[in-house]
Amino acid sequence: MLAMNYRGPQRVRIDEKPEPKILHPQDAIVRVTRSCICGSDLHLYNGNVPDTRVGMTFGHEFIGEVTEIGSEVQKLKVGDMVIVPFNIACGKCHFCKQGLFGNCHESNSQATAVGGIFGYSHTAGGYDGGQAEYVRVPYADVGPTVIPPGMDPDDAVLLTDVVPTGYQAAEMGGIQKGDTVVIFGAGPIGIMAARCSWLFGAGRVIVIDKLEYRLEFVRNYANCEAYNYEEMDDPVVFVKKTTDWMGADVCIDAVGAEASGNLMQTITGRKLLLQAGSATAVHWAVNSLKKGGILSIVGVYGPTDNLVPIGNVVNKGITIRANQASVKRLLPKLIDHVQNGVINPKPLITHRVPLEDVADAYHIFSEKLDNCIKPVLIPPSAR
Ligand SMILES: NC(=O)c1ccc[n+]([C@@H]2O[C@H](COP(=O)([O-])OP(=O)(O)OC[C@H]3O[C@@H](n4cnc5c(N)ncnc54)[C@H](O)[C@@H]3O)[C@@H](O)[C@H]2O)c1
Ligand SMILES: [Zn+2]
Ligand SMILES: [Zn+2]
Protein backbone atom coordinates (compact mmCIF):
# COMPACT_ATOMS: atom_id res chain seq x y z
CA MET A 1 0.00 0.00 0.00
CA LEU A 2 1.01 3.63 -0.30
CA ALA A 3 2.12 5.24 2.96
CA MET A 4 3.93 8.35 4.06
CA ASN A 5 7.44 7.46 5.20
CA TYR A 6 9.50 9.64 7.58
CA ARG A 7 13.16 9.77 6.54
CA GLY A 8 14.52 12.34 9.01
CA PRO A 9 13.93 16.01 9.83
CA GLN A 10 12.09 17.80 7.00
CA ARG A 11 12.28 14.68 4.84
CA VAL A 12 9.20 12.65 4.13
CA ARG A 13 8.23 10.67 1.07
CA ILE A 14 5.55 8.36 -0.26
CA ASP A 15 6.50 4.69 -0.29
CA GLU A 16 5.14 1.21 -0.69
CA LYS A 17 4.68 -0.53 2.67
CA PRO A 18 3.05 -3.84 3.59
CA GLU A 19 -0.65 -3.54 4.41
CA PRO A 20 -1.32 -3.69 8.17
CA LYS A 21 -2.72 -6.90 9.62
CA ILE A 22 -4.94 -7.67 12.60
CA LEU A 23 -2.47 -8.27 15.45
CA HIS A 24 -4.93 -8.47 18.32
CA PRO A 25 -8.55 -9.68 18.53
CA GLN A 26 -9.72 -6.13 19.34
CA ASP A 27 -8.08 -4.59 16.24
CA ALA A 28 -9.77 -3.32 13.11
CA ILE A 29 -8.24 -2.41 9.77
CA VAL A 30 -9.48 0.84 8.27
CA ARG A 31 -9.18 1.89 4.62
CA VAL A 32 -8.42 5.59 4.84
CA THR A 33 -10.60 7.96 2.84
CA ARG A 34 -9.26 11.25 4.27
CA SER A 35 -6.28 12.08 6.48
CA CYS A 36 -5.03 15.48 7.56
CA ILE A 37 -1.67 16.94 8.38
CA CYS A 38 -1.71 18.65 11.77
CA GLY A 39 0.46 21.28 13.46
CA SER A 40 1.44 18.41 15.76
CA ASP A 41 2.94 16.57 12.78
CA LEU A 42 5.25 19.52 12.27
CA HIS A 43 6.92 18.82 15.63
CA LEU A 44 7.69 15.32 14.33
CA TYR A 45 8.63 16.61 10.88
CA ASN A 46 11.08 19.09 12.39
CA GLY A 47 12.68 16.45 14.61
CA ASN A 48 11.44 17.95 17.90
CA VAL A 49 9.78 14.83 19.29
CA PRO A 50 12.10 12.25 20.87
CA ASP A 51 12.19 8.77 19.35
CA THR A 52 10.63 9.65 16.02
CA ARG A 53 11.95 6.76 14.00
CA VAL A 54 12.89 6.69 10.35
CA GLY A 55 10.37 4.56 8.50
CA MET A 56 7.39 5.64 10.58
CA THR A 57 4.09 6.67 8.99
CA PHE A 58 2.54 9.76 10.57
CA GLY A 59 -1.12 10.72 10.59
CA HIS A 60 -3.42 10.88 13.61
CA GLU A 61 -6.39 12.58 11.93
CA PHE A 62 -8.19 10.17 9.64
CA ILE A 63 -11.53 8.67 8.72
CA GLY A 64 -12.24 5.62 6.61
CA GLU A 65 -14.02 2.36 5.99
CA VAL A 66 -13.65 -0.69 8.24
CA THR A 67 -12.36 -3.50 6.01
CA GLU A 68 -11.52 -6.15 8.61
CA ILE A 69 -12.25 -6.74 12.30
CA GLY A 70 -10.64 -8.88 14.97
CA SER A 71 -12.59 -11.72 16.59
CA GLU A 72 -13.49 -9.71 19.73
CA VAL A 73 -14.75 -6.56 17.99
CA GLN A 74 -18.47 -6.19 18.58
CA LYS A 75 -19.51 -2.62 17.89
CA LEU A 76 -18.06 -2.26 14.40
CA LYS A 77 -18.70 -4.21 11.27
CA VAL A 78 -16.97 -4.40 7.91
CA GLY A 79 -18.20 -1.57 5.71
CA ASP A 80 -18.77 0.94 8.53
CA MET A 81 -17.45 4.43 7.82
CA VAL A 82 -15.75 5.70 10.96
CA ILE A 83 -14.28 8.76 12.63
CA VAL A 84 -11.14 7.57 14.41
CA PRO A 85 -10.10 9.76 17.37
CA PHE A 86 -6.40 10.59 17.38
CA ASN A 87 -5.92 9.07 20.86
CA ILE A 88 -5.59 5.31 21.13
CA ALA A 89 -7.42 4.29 24.29
CA CYS A 90 -8.28 0.98 25.94
CA GLY A 91 -11.49 2.27 27.51
CA LYS A 92 -10.93 0.27 30.69
CA CYS A 93 -7.91 1.58 32.60
CA HIS A 94 -7.93 3.99 35.56
CA PHE A 95 -7.59 7.00 33.25
CA CYS A 96 -9.95 5.95 30.47
CA LYS A 97 -12.61 5.36 33.13
CA GLN A 98 -12.35 9.03 34.08
CA GLY A 99 -12.77 10.10 30.47
CA LEU A 100 -9.06 10.86 30.14
CA PHE A 101 -8.78 9.06 26.82
CA GLY A 102 -5.63 11.03 25.98
CA ASN A 103 -3.88 9.53 28.98
CA CYS A 104 -4.66 5.84 28.58
CA HIS A 105 -2.33 3.71 30.68
CA GLU A 106 -2.53 0.66 28.45
CA SER A 107 -2.08 1.90 24.89
CA ASN A 108 1.36 3.34 25.68
CA SER A 109 2.38 1.36 28.69
CA GLN A 110 6.05 2.39 28.55
CA ALA A 111 5.13 6.01 29.34
CA THR A 112 3.45 7.70 32.27
CA ALA A 113 2.52 11.00 30.60
CA VAL A 114 0.81 10.50 27.29
CA GLY A 115 -1.26 7.60 25.97
CA GLY A 116 -0.96 6.10 22.51
CA ILE A 117 -1.44 8.35 19.49
CA PHE A 118 -1.59 7.21 15.87
CA GLY A 119 1.54 8.08 13.91
CA TYR A 120 3.14 10.06 16.70
CA SER A 121 6.61 8.59 17.40
CA HIS A 122 7.53 5.85 19.83
CA THR A 123 7.11 8.37 22.64
CA ALA A 124 3.39 8.00 21.94
CA GLY A 125 3.44 4.25 21.51
CA GLY A 126 5.03 3.72 18.09
CA TYR A 127 1.77 3.17 16.18
CA ASP A 128 1.79 3.78 12.43
CA GLY A 129 -0.68 6.45 11.40
CA GLY A 130 -3.27 7.25 8.79
CA GLN A 131 -1.33 9.13 6.11
CA ALA A 132 -1.57 5.86 4.22
CA GLU A 133 -4.08 3.70 2.42
CA TYR A 134 -4.77 1.45 5.42
CA VAL A 135 -4.27 1.66 9.20
CA ARG A 136 -4.46 -0.83 12.03
CA VAL A 137 -6.80 0.56 14.68
CA PRO A 138 -6.38 -1.06 18.13
CA TYR A 139 -9.24 -1.21 20.69
CA ALA A 140 -11.66 -0.87 17.80
CA ASP A 141 -14.73 -0.94 20.04
CA VAL A 142 -13.52 2.09 22.02
CA GLY A 143 -12.42 4.95 19.77
CA PRO A 144 -13.92 4.62 16.30
CA THR A 145 -17.33 6.19 15.93
CA VAL A 146 -19.60 5.59 12.97
CA ILE A 147 -20.01 8.71 10.83
CA PRO A 148 -23.64 9.82 11.05
CA PRO A 149 -25.54 9.53 7.78
CA GLY A 150 -25.26 12.64 5.67
CA MET A 151 -22.22 14.07 7.42
CA ASP A 152 -19.70 15.56 5.01
CA PRO A 153 -16.40 13.60 5.18
CA ASP A 154 -14.50 16.89 5.45
CA ASP A 155 -16.45 17.74 8.61
CA ALA A 156 -15.95 14.19 9.88
CA VAL A 157 -12.17 14.22 9.49
CA LEU A 158 -11.94 17.47 11.45
CA LEU A 159 -13.78 15.76 14.30
CA THR A 160 -10.80 13.46 14.86
CA ASP A 161 -8.74 16.29 16.37
CA VAL A 162 -9.23 19.93 15.32
CA VAL A 163 -12.78 20.42 16.58
CA PRO A 164 -12.35 18.55 19.90
CA THR A 165 -8.99 20.17 20.59
CA GLY A 166 -10.23 23.68 19.85
CA TYR A 167 -13.31 23.03 21.95
CA GLN A 168 -11.33 21.58 24.84
CA ALA A 169 -8.90 24.50 24.72
CA ALA A 170 -11.85 26.79 25.41
CA GLU A 171 -13.35 24.41 27.95
CA MET A 172 -10.08 24.15 29.91
CA GLY A 173 -9.96 27.94 30.01
CA GLY A 174 -12.93 27.85 32.39
CA ILE A 175 -14.39 30.80 30.50
CA GLN A 176 -16.96 32.77 32.55
CA LYS A 177 -19.64 34.98 31.03
CA GLY A 178 -18.09 38.14 29.63
CA ASP A 179 -14.46 36.99 29.92
CA THR A 180 -11.76 38.28 27.63
CA VAL A 181 -10.07 35.32 25.97
CA VAL A 182 -6.73 35.76 24.20
CA ILE A 183 -5.64 32.97 21.89
CA PHE A 184 -2.07 32.69 20.67
CA GLY A 185 -1.91 30.97 17.28
CA ALA A 186 -4.31 31.21 14.34
CA GLY A 187 -3.73 27.74 12.96
CA PRO A 188 -6.66 25.33 12.75
CA ILE A 189 -6.56 24.79 16.53
CA GLY A 190 -6.49 28.48 17.45
CA ILE A 191 -9.22 29.20 14.90
CA MET A 192 -11.46 26.49 16.37
CA ALA A 193 -10.65 27.60 19.94
CA ALA A 194 -11.76 31.13 19.00
CA ARG A 195 -15.01 29.89 17.54
CA CYS A 196 -15.69 27.69 20.59
CA SER A 197 -14.82 30.39 23.14
CA TRP A 198 -18.09 32.12 22.28
CA LEU A 199 -20.00 28.92 23.13
CA PHE A 200 -18.73 29.24 26.71
CA GLY A 201 -19.88 32.84 27.06
CA ALA A 202 -16.76 34.86 26.24
CA GLY A 203 -17.35 38.60 26.01
CA ARG A 204 -14.32 39.29 23.87
CA VAL A 205 -12.14 36.95 21.80
CA ILE A 206 -8.73 38.09 20.56
CA VAL A 207 -6.42 35.98 18.37
CA ILE A 208 -2.73 36.76 17.92
CA ASP A 209 -0.52 35.40 15.12
CA LYS A 210 1.82 36.81 12.51
CA LEU A 211 0.28 35.39 9.33
CA GLU A 212 -2.07 37.98 7.85
CA TYR A 213 -4.05 35.45 5.82
CA ARG A 214 -4.82 33.42 8.93
CA LEU A 215 -5.74 36.53 10.93
CA GLU A 216 -8.09 37.53 8.15
CA PHE A 217 -9.61 34.03 8.09
CA VAL A 218 -10.19 33.83 11.84
CA ARG A 219 -11.69 37.34 11.98
CA ASN A 220 -14.36 36.20 9.54
CA TYR A 221 -14.74 32.60 10.63
CA ALA A 222 -14.88 33.18 14.38
CA ASN A 223 -16.18 36.75 14.39
CA CYS A 224 -13.36 37.87 16.67
CA GLU A 225 -10.56 40.40 16.86
CA ALA A 226 -7.23 39.31 15.37
CA TYR A 227 -3.86 41.06 15.55
CA ASN A 228 -0.38 40.62 14.15
CA TYR A 229 2.31 40.35 16.80
CA GLU A 230 4.96 41.45 14.32
CA GLU A 231 3.27 44.84 14.32
CA MET A 232 3.46 45.12 18.12
CA ASP A 233 6.40 46.28 20.21
CA ASP A 234 5.45 43.70 22.81
CA PRO A 235 2.40 41.41 22.62
CA VAL A 236 2.11 41.33 26.42
CA VAL A 237 1.91 45.12 26.67
CA PHE A 238 -0.57 45.08 23.80
CA VAL A 239 -2.90 42.70 25.66
CA LYS A 240 -2.61 44.64 28.90
CA LYS A 241 -3.29 47.94 27.19
CA THR A 242 -6.41 46.65 25.46
CA THR A 243 -7.78 45.25 28.75
CA ASP A 244 -7.46 48.41 30.86
CA TRP A 245 -4.10 47.12 32.08
CA MET A 246 -5.78 44.19 33.82
CA GLY A 247 -4.77 41.40 31.48
CA ALA A 248 -6.82 38.63 29.91
CA ASP A 249 -9.10 36.42 31.96
CA VAL A 250 -8.14 33.40 29.91
CA CYS A 251 -5.18 32.76 27.60
CA ILE A 252 -4.94 29.82 25.26
CA ASP A 253 -1.62 28.60 23.86
CA ALA A 254 -2.48 27.13 20.46
CA VAL A 255 1.07 27.40 19.16
CA GLY A 256 3.37 24.93 20.90
CA ALA A 257 6.97 24.09 20.20
CA GLU A 258 7.40 25.76 16.79
CA ALA A 259 6.69 29.26 18.13
CA SER A 260 8.51 32.22 16.67
CA GLY A 261 8.65 35.77 18.00
CA ASN A 262 11.51 35.53 20.51
CA LEU A 263 15.07 35.11 19.26
CA MET A 264 16.43 33.51 22.43
CA GLN A 265 13.59 30.96 22.53
CA THR A 266 13.98 30.26 18.82
CA ILE A 267 17.72 29.62 19.12
CA THR A 268 17.57 27.52 22.29
CA GLY A 269 14.32 25.74 21.46
CA ARG A 270 14.28 25.27 17.71
CA LYS A 271 17.85 25.57 16.46
CA LEU A 272 20.02 24.14 19.26
CA LEU A 273 17.29 21.98 20.83
CA LEU A 274 18.52 22.90 24.30
CA GLN A 275 14.89 22.89 25.36
CA ALA A 276 11.98 21.02 23.88
CA GLY A 277 10.80 23.67 21.47
CA SER A 278 10.47 27.41 21.96
CA ALA A 279 8.15 28.42 24.78
CA THR A 280 7.41 31.89 23.40
CA ALA A 281 3.62 31.54 23.39
CA VAL A 282 3.61 30.21 26.96
CA HIS A 283 5.67 33.23 28.04
CA TRP A 284 3.35 35.65 26.32
CA ALA A 285 0.26 33.89 27.65
CA VAL A 286 1.42 33.73 31.28
CA ASN A 287 2.50 37.33 31.24
CA SER A 288 -0.65 38.56 29.47
CA LEU A 289 -3.01 36.99 32.01
CA LYS A 290 -4.87 38.84 34.67
CA LYS A 291 -3.99 37.84 38.20
CA GLY A 292 -6.05 34.74 38.94
CA GLY A 293 -6.42 34.10 35.23
CA ILE A 294 -6.41 30.71 33.60
CA LEU A 295 -3.92 29.45 31.06
CA SER A 296 -5.13 26.68 28.80
CA ILE A 297 -2.34 25.02 26.86
CA VAL A 298 -3.07 22.77 23.93
CA GLY A 299 0.13 23.67 22.05
CA VAL A 300 2.38 20.62 22.11
CA TYR A 301 5.86 20.71 23.64
CA GLY A 302 8.50 18.05 23.95
CA PRO A 303 8.56 16.21 27.26
CA THR A 304 11.85 17.66 28.54
CA ASP A 305 12.39 20.97 30.37
CA ASN A 306 11.28 24.24 28.88
CA LEU A 307 12.26 27.72 29.92
CA VAL A 308 8.79 28.75 31.06
CA PRO A 309 8.27 31.58 33.54
CA ILE A 310 7.01 29.23 36.18
CA GLY A 311 7.66 31.74 38.97
CA ASN A 312 5.08 34.06 37.45
CA VAL A 313 2.60 31.22 37.26
CA VAL A 314 2.91 30.66 40.99
CA ASN A 315 3.01 34.32 41.98
CA LYS A 316 0.02 35.26 39.86
CA GLY A 317 -2.00 32.30 41.07
CA ILE A 318 -2.51 31.12 37.54
CA THR A 319 -4.25 27.87 36.98
CA ILE A 320 -2.79 25.96 34.08
CA ARG A 321 -4.98 23.37 32.52
CA ALA A 322 -3.52 21.29 29.79
CA ASN A 323 -3.90 17.97 28.13
CA GLN A 324 -4.17 16.14 24.91
CA ALA A 325 -7.80 16.47 23.93
CA SER A 326 -10.14 13.75 25.14
CA VAL A 327 -11.76 13.27 21.77
CA LYS A 328 -13.99 10.37 22.72
CA ARG A 329 -15.53 12.21 25.67
CA LEU A 330 -16.40 15.20 23.51
CA LEU A 331 -17.47 13.51 20.30
CA PRO A 332 -21.20 13.02 20.99
CA LYS A 333 -21.67 16.71 21.83
CA LEU A 334 -19.50 17.92 18.97
CA ILE A 335 -21.20 15.71 16.41
CA ASP A 336 -24.45 17.39 17.50
CA HIS A 337 -22.86 20.82 17.15
CA VAL A 338 -21.70 20.00 13.62
CA GLN A 339 -25.05 18.51 12.64
CA ASN A 340 -26.93 21.49 14.03
CA GLY A 341 -24.62 23.99 12.36
CA VAL A 342 -23.24 25.39 15.65
CA ILE A 343 -19.74 24.50 14.41
CA ASN A 344 -18.90 24.34 10.72
CA PRO A 345 -15.41 22.82 10.46
CA LYS A 346 -15.12 22.25 6.71
CA PRO A 347 -14.02 25.75 5.64
CA LEU A 348 -10.70 25.18 7.44
CA ILE A 349 -9.66 22.74 4.72
CA THR A 350 -7.81 24.80 2.14
CA HIS A 351 -5.77 22.12 0.35
CA ARG A 352 -6.81 18.73 -1.02
CA VAL A 353 -3.72 16.79 -1.96
CA PRO A 354 -3.35 13.28 -3.42
CA LEU A 355 -1.67 11.02 -0.87
CA GLU A 356 1.10 10.41 -3.42
CA ASP A 357 2.10 14.09 -3.07
CA VAL A 358 2.43 13.95 0.72
CA ALA A 359 5.92 15.51 0.63
CA ASP A 360 4.55 18.59 -1.15
CA ALA A 361 1.69 18.81 1.35
CA TYR A 362 4.14 18.83 4.27
CA HIS A 363 6.23 21.49 2.57
CA ILE A 364 3.24 23.75 1.88
CA PHE A 365 1.76 23.36 5.38
CA SER A 366 5.05 23.68 7.20
CA GLU A 367 6.16 26.76 5.26
CA LYS A 368 2.63 28.22 5.39
CA LEU A 369 2.63 28.67 1.62
CA ASP A 370 -0.33 29.39 -0.63
CA ASN A 371 -2.52 30.63 2.27
CA CYS A 372 -2.65 27.10 3.65
CA ILE A 373 -4.71 26.47 6.77
CA LYS A 374 -5.41 22.73 6.72
CA PRO A 375 -4.34 20.20 4.11
CA VAL A 376 -6.18 16.92 3.64
CA LEU A 377 -4.61 13.92 1.91
CA ILE A 378 -6.80 11.78 -0.29
CA PRO A 379 -5.70 8.23 -1.15
CA PRO A 380 -6.34 6.93 -4.69
CA SER A 381 -9.24 4.67 -3.62
CA ALA A 382 -11.19 7.66 -2.26
CA ARG A 383 -10.86 9.89 -5.31
N1 LIG B 1 -3.38 19.08 22.75
C1 LIG B 1 -3.91 18.49 21.68
O1 LIG B 1 -4.71 17.58 21.78
C2 LIG B 1 -3.52 18.99 20.34
C3 LIG B 1 -4.21 18.57 19.20
C4 LIG B 1 -3.89 19.14 17.96
C5 LIG B 1 -2.88 20.07 17.87
N2 LIG B 1 -2.21 20.44 18.98
C6 LIG B 1 -1.15 21.46 18.96
O2 LIG B 1 -1.73 22.73 18.77
C7 LIG B 1 -0.76 23.59 18.15
C8 LIG B 1 -1.39 24.27 16.95
O3 LIG B 1 -1.74 23.32 15.95
P1 LIG B 1 -2.15 23.83 14.50
O4 LIG B 1 -2.51 22.62 13.70
O5 LIG B 1 -3.10 24.95 14.60
O6 LIG B 1 -0.69 24.35 13.99
P2 LIG B 1 -0.19 25.42 12.91
O7 LIG B 1 1.27 25.19 12.76
O8 LIG B 1 -1.05 25.38 11.69
O9 LIG B 1 -0.46 26.83 13.61
C9 LIG B 1 0.37 27.42 14.55
C10 LIG B 1 0.24 28.93 14.39
O10 LIG B 1 0.97 29.59 15.43
C11 LIG B 1 1.53 30.78 14.89
N3 LIG B 1 2.60 31.25 15.78
C12 LIG B 1 3.92 30.95 15.80
N4 LIG B 1 4.53 31.58 16.82
C13 LIG B 1 3.56 32.28 17.47
C14 LIG B 1 3.56 33.12 18.64
N5 LIG B 1 4.69 33.32 19.33
N6 LIG B 1 2.38 33.70 19.03
C15 LIG B 1 1.22 33.48 18.32
N7 LIG B 1 1.17 32.69 17.21
C16 LIG B 1 2.32 32.09 16.82
C17 LIG B 1 1.98 30.35 13.50
O11 LIG B 1 2.16 31.46 12.65
C18 LIG B 1 0.82 29.45 13.07
O12 LIG B 1 -0.20 30.16 12.38
C19 LIG B 1 0.43 22.70 17.80
O13 LIG B 1 1.40 22.80 18.83
C20 LIG B 1 -0.16 21.32 17.83
O14 LIG B 1 0.81 20.33 18.14
C21 LIG B 1 -2.52 19.92 20.20
ZN1 LIG C 1 -3.74 16.75 15.05
ZN1 LIG D 1 -7.02 3.15 28.94
Coordinates of all heavy atoms in Angstrom, one line a residue, residues 38 40 60-61 161 374, ligand 2:
C38 N -1.4 17.8 10.6 CA -1.7 18.7 11.8 C -0.5 19.4 12.2 O 0.7 19.0 11.9 CB -2.1 17.7 12.9 SG -2.5 18.5 14.5
S40 N 0.7 19.4 14.9 CA 1.4 18.4 15.8 C 2.4 17.6 14.9 O 3.5 17.2 15.4 CB 0.5 17.4 16.5 OG -0.4 18.1 17.3
H60 N -2.5 11.2 12.5 CA -3.4 10.9 13.6 C -4.8 11.4 13.4 O -5.7 11.3 14.2 CB -2.8 11.4 14.9 CG -2.6 12.9 14.9 ND1 -1.4 13.4 14.5 CD2 -3.4 13.9 15.2 CE1 -1.5 14.7 14.6 NE2 -2.7 15.1 15.0
E61 N -5.1 12.0 12.2 CA -6.4 12.6 11.9 C -6.9 11.9 10.7 O -6.5 12.3 9.6 CB -6.3 14.1 11.7 CG -5.7 14.9 12.8 CD -5.6 16.4 12.6 OE1 -6.2 16.9 11.7 OE2 -5.0 17.0 13.5
D161 N -9.7 15.5 15.6 CA -8.7 16.3 16.4 C -9.1 17.8 16.5 O -9.3 18.3 17.5 CB -7.3 16.1 15.8 CG -6.2 16.8 16.6 OD1 -6.5 17.7 17.4 OD2 -5.0 16.5 16.4
K374 N -5.4 24.2 6.4 CA -5.4 22.7 6.7 C -5.4 21.9 5.4 O -6.3 22.0 4.6 CB -6.7 22.4 7.5 CG -6.7 21.1 8.1 CD -5.9 21.0 9.4 CE -6.0 19.6 10.0 NZ -5.1 19.4 11.1
Ligands
ZN2 ZN -3.7 16.8 15.1

